[in-house]
Amino acid sequence: MGDLPIEALGNKTPLEVAETPNLDFLAKKGKTGLMYSVKKGVAPQSDVAVISLLGYDPFIYSTGRGVIETAGIGLKMNDGDLALRCNFATLGDGKTILDRRVGRSLTTEEASELTEVVNKEVKLESYPATFEFKNTLGHRAVLLFKSKAKPLSSLITNSDPAYKIINGIGVAQTNVEMVLKPSEPMDETEAAKVSAGLVNEFIEKSHAIWDNHPINQKRAKQGKLKANIILARDAGHMLPSFFNINQHYHVDFACLADMHTEVGIAKLAGMDSTLLPPPTGNLQKDYDFRVNALLQSLPNHDCFYIHLKGPDEPGHDGDCKLKSKVISSVDKYFFGPLLKQISLDDTLICVTSDHATPCMLKVHSDTPVPILISGGKIHNSGIDKFSEKECAKGSLGLIERGCMLMPKLMDMLKQMS
């Protein structure tokens, strides 16, 4: 949801331009501010940011997005296995990456068929290990290696140039050369060397199988990009030691999420978690479903983590008008019906973003995101609109670490009882 001012929108952000009467209502009744979802200077990936927002310091608790997504799709992983988040992508001549996401045109059905063929035909020879490759939604996938000998290591570089491992967490990169890079060990251990070798072997062999696969031949004839390479990133070789969020705060949490990443984090945190159906293209229908799913769950839990991905993809695609439209739809079709069904007197609502995805950058940034907390005994902070500019004036001020948010919300919740 977060963004920066855009010249094509009159130097306003997509959130400022969006029609958000329901979010504005919540902002007027509550407190607002800005927040670094991880900390200043970190352009976080979603997993790192969500871990932070749920009250876990990612520099302590994060063990790699691959691990999180593996948990999200239900693959069995043990410490010493190696899990990576992957994208189907398009490789051109000279290792040039033409598109990191196959133009967002790869169907889940196409990805499933490509997945099936590599699981059958790729045989690892560089080290005694097995693998399981599993596609999730569209261009997204997970790769899990299991060693038959010694444990594997996540101390390897990404083959995806758009993300880099810094201080143990995945961080988005801007203005990088879009060239496929081999995974390299980050230390001198045999485990790291073996792990990088396995990743490179899988990427090379899967590319050889996919480049002229019938699916890609058909896509090429239709003028579409081939899904002929895997970009791997954010390796993890151990499960995170999250404290159980329910026991820690003495509440009962449930999660409703659009993506496997968020479901994986929720599962590992001890939440009752549900993956919502993929978007249909009908925004009203999609958000109606999400409101109804939440309302059905309300009697069974105390607290809810709701993840709506909608505004993120237009940010990555640089489509500021669509991003604004999606934000308006979230307001109209999610918050509108929801606010008619609940009482703010006995409900606390926090609305924020796990990161900014500025349309001018097309990648995540460390830009502080708007936040509102409304309901319960919270008093009006005098802000009339929910936007980056207005929230900067709010009484919450600037929250410097996203992991400070959940303890703050839990304190506010206690004050309601």
Side-chain angles (χ1 to χ4, degrees), residues 61-267:
Y61 289 97
S62 177
T63 60
R65 183 162 183 172
V67 176
I68 295 298
E69 300 227 8
T70 296
I73 64 175
L75 288 181
K76 176 66 174 176
M77 177 183 173
N78 298 311
D79 289 351
D81 296 343
L82 186 70
L84 301 100
R85 160 65 196 267
C86 300
N87 275 18
F88 286 91
T90 305
L91 188 69
D93 296 332
K95 301 294 184 181
T96 299
I97 300 168
L98 302 180
D99 195 290
R100 291 185 57 257
R101 306 178 183 89
V102 201
R104 293 197 191 278
S105 64
L106 185 68
T107 67
T108 300
E109 291 73 24
E110 289 174 321
S112 296
E113 189 169 337
L114 294 173
T115 294
E116 184 178 0
V117 70
V118 295
N119 280 318
K120 284 183 178 179
E121 296 186 15
V122 170
K123 305 299 180 187
L124 299 174
E125 298 172 297
S126 63
Y127 192 75
T130 60
F131 75 90
E132 186 168 1
F133 181 74
K134 188 169 183 178
N135 65 298
T136 55
L137 182 64
H139 60 269
R140 304 167 184 87
V142 174
L143 178 58
L144 178 64
F145 293 100
K146 291 180 177 287
S147 169
K148 295 179 179 179
K150 297 178 181 179
L152 300 172
S153 170
S154 60
L155 291 175
I156 60 175
T157 61
N158 295 338
S159 71
D160 187 340
Y163 294 93
K164 188 174 182 180
I165 305 297
I166 299 177
N167 295 326
I169 64 173
V171 177
Q173 301 294 292
T174 57
N175 301 318
V176 294
E177 186 181 17
M178 279 296 133
V179 173
L180 180 68
K181 298 182 178 182
S183 180
E184 298 179 351
M186 297 170 68
D187 65 17
E188 296 298 319
T189 62
E190 180 189 5
K193 293 175 183 177
V194 164
S195 298
L198 286 169
V199 171
N200 293 330
E201 181 183 5
F202 178 85
I203 291 174
E204 181 180 339
K205 289 183 173 179
S206 59
H207 172 63
I209 291 170
W210 286 338
D211 198 36
N212 289 305
H213 187 277
I215 280 181
N216 281 321
Q217 291 179 345
K218 181 179 179 181
R219 288 181 63 85
K221 287 180 181 178
Q222 295 173 338
K224 296 179 181 178
L225 294 169
K226 289 183 177 182
N228 63 355
I229 198 72
I230 279 298
L231 302 181
R233 68 181 196 259
D234 301 329
H237 69 263
M238 60 186 298
L239 296 167
S241 56
F242 293 154
F243 55 77
N244 183 292
I245 196 168
N246 297 323
Q247 295 173 4
H248 189 76
Y249 293 114
H250 306 290
V251 293
D252 184 357
F253 249 106
C255 164
L256 303 174
D258 278 355
M259 304 297 292
H260 292 90
T261 304
E262 287 72 17
V263 168
I265 294 169
K267 284 182 178 179

